[in-house]
Amino acid sequence: MIEITKSNIEKAINKARQTKPFVKVLEFRRYSVTNKTTGANYTIKFTKINNRKFAECNCKATVVCYHIGASIGAHIVLAEQMHTATAA
Ligand SMILES: [Zn+2]
């Protein structure tokens, strides 16, 4: 599990923008990211502990990888929708 910080997620998002992988929502906080070129598929999980965000990806990277960068966009949108739904 890796902690998401403003700087490491920015790098990951930039890399994801270049790679443009396919992101699929498996369930809230769980995503599947597929590299369209190689077909490689990874599962990403997000966790929130004491207001700090953590992510986990099953690829071999030990940093915040672009799979996390690609799925966090979808995650933020979904989390906001859930939040709005709860507040309503
Ligand atoms: Zn990864």
Side-chain angles (χ1 to χ4, degrees), residues 11-62:
K11 273 188 212 160
I13 289 171
N14 282 338
K15 204 173 171 209
R17 283 203 183 113
Q18 290 160 23
T19 320
K20 294 185 177 66
F22 179 70
V23 182
K24 198 176 132 197
V25 181
L26 298 174
E27 58 182 293
F28 184 57
R29 290 189 168 149
R30 259 187 78 219
Y31 301 86
S32 161
V33 174
T34 309
N35 182 313
K36 286 176 193 163
T37 315
T38 63
N41 176 268
Y42 301 100
T43 304
I44 294 86
K45 237 179 85 184
F46 290 102
T47 316
K48 208 171 171 184
I49 304 164
N50 294 331
N51 262 334
R52 287 160 70 192
K53 287 178 194 138
F54 295 87
E56 215 179 319
C57 178
N58 66 346
C59 75
K60 52 181 189 242
T62 51

